[in-house]
Amino acid sequence: LPVGTDDYLTTKKFGVGPTVVFLKQSNGFTFGALMNQIWSVAGDEDRSDISSFFYQPFLTYNWKSGAGVSVNFEGTEDWENNTSVGFVNLGISAVTALGKQKVSMNIGPRFNVMSPEGSKADWGWRAVLALLLPKG
């Protein structure tokens, strides 16, 4: 959506595109990939068009207690500017409840493994809070 709190942080474009996820769960392991492609279809004519592909292969192991470990790769290909950015994320996770709502929490370091010349980060942190909505 063409929204943002700062001109530097927004494309001012509206984008659409397909998203797919494939995953398999077996013996405590979850593995698969998430992918999407976004093309700009409207927005500020003075801003560059968007054609961006995101891919995220992942592998997680969870114990019966709800604790887990994970590794994933997050890559973005900017087809308009011919640039690639990629991070490897490691994490430890836990499942708990906040009141009646079950949640999964994950935290760990992330490492920038590919980026345009002169803009590579050393490393950082990634934290995730996901609401769990079981069937029934």
Side-chain angles (χ1 to χ4, degrees):
L1 294 174
V3 297
T5 57
D6 186 295
D7 279 353
Y8 184 74
L9 301 175
T10 182
T11 62
K12 293 193 176 183
K13 293 285 188 171
F14 178 76
V16 297
T19 298
V20 297
V21 65
F22 303 97
L23 69 88
K24 176 148 177 76
Q25 294 181 302
S26 178
N27 300 318
F29 286 96
T30 302
F31 57 94
L34 167 71
M35 296 173 277
N36 70 35
Q37 170 67 41
I38 303 294
W39 295 279
S40 57
V41 294
D44 190 333
E45 294 291 327
D46 295 331
R47 294 292 185 111
S48 299
D49 286 335
I50 298 169
S51 177
S52 181
F53 178 65
F54 174 78
Y55 53 102
Q56 182 187 48
F58 53 85
L59 173 65
T60 301
Y61 181 79
N62 286 100
W63 289 274
K64 290 181 181 180
S65 67
V69 293
S70 62
V71 61
N72 73 42
F73 176 81
E74 294 177 342
T76 301
E77 301 292 332
D78 179 346
W79 305 120
E80 290 289 325
N81 297 300
N82 197 29
T83 59
S84 301
V85 176
F87 289 88
V88 171
N89 302 305
L90 305 174
I92 56 171
S93 60
V95 174
T96 189
L98 297 176
K100 293 183 179 182
Q101 177 64 58
K102 294 282 189 181
V103 296
S104 174
M105 298 180 291
N106 183 304
I107 191 166
R110 69 187 322 221
F111 304 95
N112 192 189
V113 294
M114 67 181 184
S115 63
E117 189 68 34
S119 64
K120 188 173 183 182
D122 292 330
W123 69 282
W125 288 96
R126 179 177 183 262
V128 178
L129 176 68
L131 303 178
L132 303 178
L133 306 170
K135 291 181 185 179

